[in-house]
Amino acid sequence: MNLHLEGLIAAPFTPMQADGSLNTDLIPAYYEFLKHNGVSGAFICGSTGEGVSLTLREKKLVTEAWAACAAGDPAFTVMPLLGGTCIADCIDLAQHAAGVGMDAVSFTSPSYFKPANVEMLAECIIAIAASVPEMPFYYYHIPVLTGVGFAMYDLLQAIDGRVPNFAGIKYTHEDFMDFQSCLNFRNGRYDMLWGRDENMLSALAVGAKGAVGSTFNYAAPLYHRLMEAFEKGRMDTAATLQQQSIDMIRLLGKYGGISVGKSYMRLVGLDCGQFRLPVRNMTDGQFEAFRADVAALDFDSFKSGRILAKNTF
């Protein structure tokens, strides 16, 4: 399918109550928050959204909540990650997503019983995509978590012409040779969405137009400025902005990893609760130290807010 998304697509956190249960009541405000900050879509129930820690029913509830918010909004694309362990569950979730009006669906490689080769991964994709033939279907490439690191250029060759609704790849890896080859495959036939916020500038340089990222949730203005600077040829400015992104992302590692994103969300006024086990969350003392480190980044100058100011250079 000829779907080519552009701009920033957030990977939202799944809002949780204090007891660890879902807080889908927050999702309408979350949707409005992203819209106000110029984000053009949401990739839900992925790594950032704790999809692997949600039950099948919970994934459907989250999907339904986002579908209700974005219904009738052609400027905002929502796609859920179906998962990547049980193919039958992925088919069930894909058909549910089609039924509630999702714009697309995504699938990542099985990571316990791993496919032996690219052809076996392609067979998984074919089986699930065929269950929703009218929906754009994306593969989510994140070998750091799945342990499946086949070249995506090889995957495109394996599925080309066999999956009519295959739209593209969410590419969360650092192999720019492979990424650029995928961008140029069949004269740009497939949509290649960049998935590493910390080196977006490098992806823009080889031709990326759309990106999916967790930090777009709370620092969208920074990336809008970066993309605008790149488009205007202001490479020094773009490089400075990318370094701000890197400095912000380094705090994720300092304070515990993926869960730190929810602490950033607290600082922009959208409390999504905590991550579920086995992910470690901050203590109250760590949060205060984190808040001080964030202030030292001048976070207020580029954080997401209710209104996105126009930036000029």
Side-chain angles (χ1 to χ4, degrees):
M1 287 187 173
N2 189 24
L3 183 66
H4 284 74
L5 304 175
E6 296 188 359
L8 305 181
I9 299 167
F13 301 91
T14 296
M16 302 288 186
Q17 304 279 6
D19 64 1
S21 62
L22 293 184
N23 181 15
T24 55
D25 288 346
L26 187 64
I27 289 175
Y30 205 151
Y31 162 75
E32 292 293 343
F33 182 78
L34 295 178
K35 288 283 291 183
H36 279 302
N37 286 279
V39 173
S40 59
F43 183 89
I44 64 173
C45 298
S47 307
T48 303
E50 299 179 77
V52 295
S53 299
L54 303 179
T55 67
L56 197 67
R57 178 59 183 153
E58 286 174 330
K59 290 180 184 180
K60 290 181 178 180
L61 290 172
V62 172
T63 299
E64 290 165 10
W66 280 99
C69 293
D73 185 353
F76 195 87
T77 300
V78 186
M79 75 172 85
L81 178 67
L82 306 173
T85 302
C86 176
I87 301 302
D89 280 351
C90 290
I91 290 172
D92 182 11
L93 288 168
Q95 293 175 336
H96 174 264
V100 300
M102 289 283 97
D103 299 296
V105 291
S106 182
F107 162 75
T108 196
S109 175
S111 56
Y112 187 85
F113 293 134
K114 296 179 177 63
N117 50 48
V118 167
E119 177 58 30
M120 292 308 299
L121 179 57
E123 291 292 338
C124 296
I125 289 170
I126 290 167
I128 302 167
S131 73
V132 284
E134 303 302 317
M135 290 194 80
F137 187 98
Y138 283 80
Y139 178 69
Y140 178 18
H141 183 48
I142 183 164
V144 69
L145 291 181
T146 63
V148 177
F150 305 128
M152 290 296 95
Y153 181 76
D154 293 342
L155 179 63
L156 290 182
Q157 290 182 308
I159 58 90
D160 188 46
R162 300 170 67 190
V163 188
N165 56 327
F166 190 85
I169 297 171
K170 177 184 182 290
Y171 197 100
T172 306
H173 192 37
E174 297 79 24
D175 187 341
F176 285 99
M177 182 179 78
D178 184 41
F179 180 71
Q180 185 169 350
S181 296
C182 293
L183 277 171
N184 294 324
F185 185 82
R186 298 282 193 232
N187 296 314
R189 176 175 179 177
Y190 295 106
D191 191 13
M192 296 299 299
L193 301 172
W194 186 249
R196 284 281 187 227
D197 308 3
E198 62 269 34
N199 45 27
M200 177 191 275
L201 180 56
S202 300
L204 293 174
V206 299
K209 301 297 183 184
V212 180
S214 64
T215 64
F216 306 161
N217 286 291
Y218 47 82
L222 172 62
Y223 296 99
H224 285 303
R225 295 168 191 166
L226 190 160
M227 295 177 78
E228 184 178 351
F230 174 80
E231 290 167 3
K232 292 183 175 180
R234 300 181 183 272
M235 298 307 294
D236 287 347
T237 299
T240 297
L241 292 165
Q242 183 67 85
Q243 187 61 55
Q244 282 187 293
S245 161
I246 291 168
D247 293 342
M248 176 180 65
I249 290 168
R250 285 189 190 282
L251 293 186
L252 299 180
K254 179 176 180 179
Y255 286 96
I258 194 169
S259 67
V260 178
K262 283 191 170 182
S263 295
Y264 272 114
M265 293 302 288
R266 285 177 63 185
L267 297 181
V268 297
L270 208 63
D271 191 341
C272 295
Q274 294 192 325
F275 265 68
R276 289 178 172 177
L277 290 171
V279 176
R280 179 170 60 88
N281 293 281
M282 286 187 201
T283 64
D284 291 342
Q286 288 172 324
F287 180 75
E288 292 309 312
F290 166 75
R291 187 199 296 271
D293 278 350
V294 172
L297 298 177
D298 194 22
F299 182 61
D300 285 348
S301 70
F302 58 80
K303 71 180 182 182
S304 294
R306 291 295 171 185
I307 299 175
L308 175 64
K310 183 174 176 58
N311 301 292
T312 56
F313 296 91

